[in-house]
Amino acid sequence: MSINSLKEVSRLMKESISLSLPSKPEYVSIARLTSSAIANSMGFNIEDIEDIRLAVGEACNNAVLHGRNGDSNFNINFTIYEDKFVIEIFDEGKGFEIEKCPEPDFSNPKESGLGLFIIESLMDEVEVISSPGEGTNVKMIKYLND
């Protein structure tokens, strides 16, 4: 990326907020509430705010479930741009091979395994980077529509 491209990204970025939360289920609500408050302040409509809140909750639940279960933290970066909201959730858990992640079977639903499908359904862009033994990074983007 060129210096001019980096300057343009910096110009468009308004603020960045980071949280480090214990890998325990009771802290997921803090991430959901924070994402809702930021999305509201950016001017998202109520449907988009609820989509963001639910996607953040799913990603954080995955970080807690598949992370190191209470003996470490998971991290969240909220980045506010003029036209979009970027949320990244990192855990230092066991990771997984994304290519081997099965598609949901709606004819034989299970209680788990829908998290990534839900996140991808609710957000405009989703990128998952994970490697066995190295944790997972889920990056979600929701664009602010006029």
Side-chain angles (χ1 to χ4, degrees):
M1 187 175 273
S2 72
I3 296 290
N4 288 336
S5 297
L6 288 173
K7 286 180 182 177
E8 182 65 18
V9 168
S10 294
R11 185 186 69 75
L12 296 174
M13 185 173 71
K14 291 183 173 183
E15 295 176 326
S16 182
I17 301 160
S18 297
L19 295 175
S20 183
L21 299 171
S23 290
K24 295 180 180 177
E26 57 264 33
Y27 291 98
V28 171
S29 62
I30 293 171
R32 285 195 312 256
L33 289 169
T34 303
S35 67
S36 295
I38 294 169
N40 183 53
S41 73
M42 290 178 68
F44 281 97
N45 63 45
I46 191 69
E47 292 87 12
D48 286 342
I49 292 169
E50 286 301 309
D51 288 351
I52 292 166
R53 186 187 65 76
L54 183 57
V56 167
E58 286 294 329
C60 290
N61 282 332
N62 283 345
V64 169
L65 183 64
H66 302 294
R68 289 206 235 149
N69 295 328
D71 66 349
S72 70
N73 290 354
F74 66 95
N75 300 298
I76 309 168
N77 292 333
F78 301 100
T79 308
I80 303 164
Y81 291 86
E82 290 179 3
D83 64 340
K84 64 185 173 185
F85 187 20
V86 178
I87 303 144
E88 291 184 88
I89 299 169
F90 309 87
D91 71 62
E92 296 177 352
K94 56 190 169 195
F96 65 99
E97 293 182 47
I98 297 165
E99 312 79 48
K100 293 184 179 179
C101 190
E103 291 290 320
D105 180 3
F106 296 110
S107 62
N108 186 18
K110 297 178 182 172
E111 204 169 304
S112 64
L114 294 176
L116 284 176
F117 174 79
I118 291 169
I119 292 167
E120 289 172 344
S121 298
L122 297 173
M123 300 299 283
D124 294 325
E125 292 181 31
V126 177
E127 179 182 7
V128 179
I129 300 169
S130 186
S131 301
E134 297 191 20
T136 302
N137 173 10
V138 177
K139 179 178 181 180
M140 305 175 282
I141 300 173
K142 190 69 145 178
Y143 289 95
L144 185 60
N145 298 320
D146 294 329

